[in-house]
């Protein structure tokens, strides 16, 4: 999963969010408890303005490990406000 996450990070740096989303879904199939990958996935959906998906994935990231991605709670609340 780590290799896929690094690939996704490169795609995000190039603003290729759709490709990053596909890669992150694959990474999460390999490691469904990776809070960082869930957070990255939420951010990618946020960037393409799919706020409902972003909300769900921020919540998942926070619930898996709020120490790794404490900011997920903020963005989850923001998505609730926006939807």
């Amino acid at each position: 999963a780590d290799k896929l996450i690094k690939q996704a990070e490169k795609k995000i740096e190039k603003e290729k969010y759709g490709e990053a989303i596909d890669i992150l879904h694959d990474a999460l199939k390999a490691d469904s408890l990776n809070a960082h990958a869930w957070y990255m996935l939420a951010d990618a959906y946020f960037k393409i303005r799919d706020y409902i998906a972003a909300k769900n994935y921020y919540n998942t990231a926070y619930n898996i490990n709020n120490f790794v991605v404490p900011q997920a709670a903020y963005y989850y609340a923001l998505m609730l406000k926006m939807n």
Side-chain angles (χ1 to χ4, degrees):
D2 290 339
K3 183 178 178 183
L4 291 170
I5 291 169
K6 290 191 186 303
Q7 288 175 8
E9 286 173 345
K10 290 178 183 177
K11 296 293 183 184
I12 289 169
E13 287 173 8
K14 295 178 182 178
E15 297 181 1
K16 295 183 177 183
Y17 303 113
E19 292 177 34
I21 287 168
D22 292 339
I23 293 168
L24 288 164
H25 278 292
D26 289 341
L28 288 164
K29 286 177 188 172
D31 181 5
S32 64
L33 296 178
N34 188 315
H36 181 65
W38 284 109
Y39 183 79
M40 287 177 58
L41 184 61
D43 270 351
Y45 275 107
F46 179 82
K47 296 288 188 182
I48 64 168
R49 298 184 176 152
D50 184 342
Y51 301 124
I52 293 171
K55 173 191 70 156
N56 293 331
Y57 295 134
Y58 283 128
N59 189 41
T60 300
Y62 183 79
N63 286 328
I64 288 173
N65 190 334
N66 59 3
F67 293 106
V68 172
V69 287
Q71 66 275 29
Y74 168 77
Y75 287 105
Y76 174 67
L78 184 63
M79 296 301 98
L80 287 175
K81 185 177 179 182
M82 293 175 72
N83 286 311

